[in-house]
Amino acid sequence: MNVLLTGGLGYIGSHTCVELLNAGHRAVIVDNLCNAYGSVLDYIEQITGIRPRFYEADAQDRAAMERIFSENEIDAVIHFAGLKAVGESCRIPLAYYRNNLDSTLTLLETMEKYGCKRLVFSSSATVYGPDNPVPYNEEMPCHVATNPYGWTKAMIEQIIRDYVTANPDFSAVLLRYFNPVGAHESGLIGDDPNGIPNNLMPYIARVAGGQLEKLTVFGNDYDTPDGTCLRDYLHVVDLAKGHICALDYAAVHTGAEAINLGTGNGVSVLELLHTFIRVNGVDVPYVIGGRRDGDLARCYANAEKAERVLHWKTEKTVEDMCRDSWNFIVKHTK
Ligand code: NAD
Ligand code: UD1
């Protein structure tokens, strides 16, 4: 299969590109480098021995997207391109709506023009909002996002569903990721956020590496076993493999399917932190602070549908996630 990856040089896109090439598929990448480096292409080549065709362009740019489709026989698209920082989306909501919605609309219109009928979309557990009980399953109502980023994911899911209703021969898989962490075992690619990280694992890794002084654990008074929040952390390589399963599924089914990609387990902030310290033999100073606005006590998947429909489940452990995240930081900051 020849697969177009929008946002393919980003964290999840680059790992998925590696798994796609390892599985014998071909990849074409479009990325505007707003949150990625061109050097990731070299690392993908180092890992796989294959250099995917790369277009530095914005997925909102119709002429550029048409050029990509006219120059390549694209069988399917995985749409990663998007802005993803929750806090930033509250400060600059219009930029989030413009980028995330416009890139999706331009992509769908271009796919229609070139007769491409298979799409895998990067959605998020954030679409379950604050009111559903855990574990989240795909049948639950997803009508209340809590921030503009989350709304873009809910809206894009709806846009894709409406498009599929009008085009019943189209196939879309809406993958709802839980908390991707970890990195490729080579240490060449991983999560490399600009500035001070918002997410837990990159923050822990930077404290361990001495770039940040200490971690603040946001609240230990939640109604959970150790008082800190529970999340469904999954290894990014497992997540990447889930996309290959989704492409296989989309090749033989039509319609729009939302599918959770998670482990089904809730892991607390302190469990993740202490696992990181133990498996890597490093020190991570931390303090307990107040709760962060908008955080839920629990967020984890019912992961049964992915196993039943995609024949996919996670294989890597929390230890693997911590080891590989640290390995990436060690190799990356040399
Ligand atoms: P990332 O920022 O590392 O990757 C996104 C890539 O898209 C970047 O390389 C960026 O340069 C590119 N991009 C953004 N807007 C673009 C545009 N208009 N045109 C072309 N390229 C553009 O993020 P990621 O963590 O790899 O996430 C990939 C997708 O998965 C995003 O849609 C994100 O919202 C979604 N997601 C991520 C997480 C997570 O925790 N990382 C969780 C749930 C969902
Ligand atoms: C956040 C986003 C979510 C997005 C996900 C991507 C919010 C409210 N939600 O989710 O929409 O899909 O990232 O991975 O931003 N923590 C600390 N100290 C820190 C950082 C985090 O204690 O310095 C805690 C948080 O309170 C939370 C857990 O670690 O309990 C995980 O946080 P984070 O990595 O930001 O992910 P989410 O909050 O699950």
Side-chain angles (χ1 to χ4, degrees):
M1 226 184 284
N2 197 19
V3 184
L4 175 65
L5 289 77
T6 73
L9 291 187
Y11 173 46
I12 302 170
S14 57
H15 287 83
T16 303
C17 185
V18 165
E19 296 307 320
L20 258 179
L21 297 173
N22 284 345
H25 298 293
R26 283 171 295 145
V28 177
I29 292 175
V30 57
D31 198 302
N32 66 359
L33 302 184
C34 73
N35 197 33
Y37 298 100
S39 53
V40 171
L41 204 60
D42 301 330
Y43 297 138
I44 292 172
E45 184 177 9
Q46 246 176 282
I47 295 168
T48 64
I50 300 166
R51 192 173 185 85
R53 194 163 191 186
F54 171 57
Y55 293 84
E56 182 179 341
D58 196 304
Q60 299 171 79
D61 180 342
R62 187 178 304 271
M65 292 300 281
E66 293 208 2
R67 188 175 147 226
I68 294 167
F69 275 83
S70 66
E71 290 179 358
N72 301 277
E73 291 256 324
I74 304 293
D75 300 306
V77 179
I78 312 181
H79 182 34
F80 299 101
L83 300 175
K84 64 163 184 177
V86 172
E88 185 182 64
S89 81
C90 298
R91 289 193 300 279
I92 49 168
L94 296 183
Y96 271 67
Y97 286 114
R98 170 64 73 194
N99 187 73
N100 294 2
L101 298 184
D102 217 6
S103 59
T104 306
L105 291 170
T106 304
L107 172 66
L108 284 169
E109 285 165 356
T110 313
M111 289 176 74
E112 179 167 70
K113 182 162 176 183
Y114 287 84
C116 182
K117 296 181 194 299
R118 276 178 239 159
L119 175 67
V120 174
F121 171 62
S122 299
S123 189
S124 166
T126 192
V127 300
Y128 288 107
D131 299 327
N132 286 304
V134 288
Y136 297 141
N137 74 60
E138 294 84 349
E139 306 307 315
M140 289 175 169
C142 297
H143 298 143
V144 193
T146 52
N147 54 71
Y149 164 74
W151 276 115
T152 69
K153 293 297 178 192
M155 288 176 179
I156 293 169
E157 283 201 4
Q158 188 59 42
I159 290 168
I160 295 172
R161 284 180 196 288
D162 289 343
Y163 183 72
V164 170
T165 303
N167 297 274
D169 58 343
F170 194 91
S171 180
V173 185
L174 315 171
L175 294 178
R176 294 177 177 165
Y177 311 155
F178 280 70
N179 289 57
V181 295
H184 189 264
E185 61 179 8
S186 64
L188 290 170
I189 53 175
D191 194 8
D192 185 19
N194 291 327
I196 297 176
N198 297 308
N199 295 122
L200 181 60
M201 185 66 103
Y203 204 105
I204 291 176
R206 295 231 182 136
V207 174
Q211 295 104 319
L212 292 169
E213 190 195 332
K214 60 177 183 305
L215 172 76
T216 301
V217 174
F218 295 143
N220 68 347
D221 57 351
Y222 287 96
D223 177 23
T224 58
D226 66 16
T228 66
C229 297
L230 303 178
R231 292 291 181 273
D232 190 336
Y233 300 98
L234 78 160
H235 197 292
V236 66
V237 171
D238 279 335
L239 177 67
K241 289 178 179 165
H243 292 74
I244 319 301
C245 301
L247 285 173
D248 291 341
Y249 176 83
V252 290
H253 292 84
T254 55
E257 278 301 337
I259 302 179
N260 291 338
L261 294 186
T263 64
N265 301 316
V267 170
S268 80
V269 176
L270 289 178
E271 276 177 83
L272 189 76
L273 175 64
H274 289 305
T275 307
F276 190 98
I277 292 170
R278 179 170 51 79
V279 302
N280 295 315
V282 291
D283 192 23
V284 182
Y286 70 95
V287 292
I288 305 292
R291 293 183 177 195
R292 179 172 70 177
D293 267 1
D295 272 346
L296 301 171
R298 295 179 180 73
C299 173
Y300 50 91
N302 175 326
E304 284 167 18
K305 185 172 178 184
E307 191 165 354
R308 181 166 38 83
V309 171
L310 299 183
H311 312 294
W312 172 92
K313 63 177 177 163
T314 57
E315 289 170 358
K316 292 184 182 275
T317 63
V318 176
E319 280 80 1
D320 297 328
M321 301 175 206
C322 292
R323 202 177 297 114
D324 291 338
S325 293
W326 179 233
N327 181 44
F328 171 68
I329 290 291
V330 170
K331 296 244 166 76
H332 206 63
T333 48
K334 258 193 217 156

